[in-house]
Amino acid sequence: MSVDDYLDLLNYAKAINDGQWQADIIESLKNYKETAEEQRRIENVKELWSRFDQINLLLLELFDKLRDDEDAPESERWKERIWELKLERITLAKQIQERYIKIR
């Protein structure tokens, strides 16, 4: 929820004279920044995992191509691409590990 949503709820809670709900909404607003930052970190980790999965799929495709036709003229290019993807995957794994540990 956005800050505006919380403020709308706060106005409604005031209109119906629900003091406890007002206090809960105010507390949520105080914690909003921390919650939003935590959510951004979680989304960042999800994006990293998504890229990691994409790389794995690309690697599988390239390995299949090599298995099917290792003597193809493009095989050297495929092998170079495999190494590039492996290095990127290692970098992503390190980033995921660093961010995941901060989330927990």
Side-chain angles (χ1 to χ4, degrees):
M1 284 194 335
S2 70
V3 173
D4 288 339
D5 293 334
Y6 280 110
L7 293 175
D8 289 342
L9 289 174
L10 182 59
N11 285 333
Y12 182 69
K14 286 180 181 179
I16 63 172
N17 285 329
D18 190 333
Q20 180 59 46
W21 193 21
Q22 290 177 46
D24 292 344
I25 293 169
I26 290 170
E27 188 64 30
S28 295
L29 281 168
K30 288 178 182 177
N31 297 326
Y32 182 81
K33 182 180 177 184
E34 294 156 3
T35 304
E37 288 174 5
E38 180 71 14
Q39 190 62 36
R40 277 193 296 276
R41 281 194 298 270
I42 290 169
E43 289 300 318
N44 183 264
V45 170
K46 287 179 181 179
E47 289 171 11
L48 291 172
W49 273 115
S50 178
R51 179 62 186 149
F52 190 87
D53 291 341
Q54 290 172 348
I55 289 172
N56 282 338
L57 291 173
L58 290 170
L59 284 169
L60 286 172
E61 290 174 14
L62 289 168
F63 282 126
D64 284 341
K65 286 181 182 181
L66 277 175
R67 187 179 343 109
D68 292 341
D69 193 7
E70 191 171 347
D71 297 327
E74 304 92 2
S75 67
E76 285 304 314
R77 192 167 36 94
W78 296 338
K79 290 176 185 177
E80 285 181 32
R81 185 66 179 138
I82 287 170
W83 279 109
E84 291 169 0
L85 290 169
K86 284 182 173 184
L87 291 173
E88 185 179 351
R89 190 173 63 173
I90 290 169
T91 302
L92 282 171
K94 288 178 183 177
Q95 290 174 350
I96 289 168
Q97 185 179 23
E98 289 169 4
R99 285 167 177 84
Y100 187 72
I101 290 170
K102 288 180 185 177
I103 290 173
R104 292 276 164 153

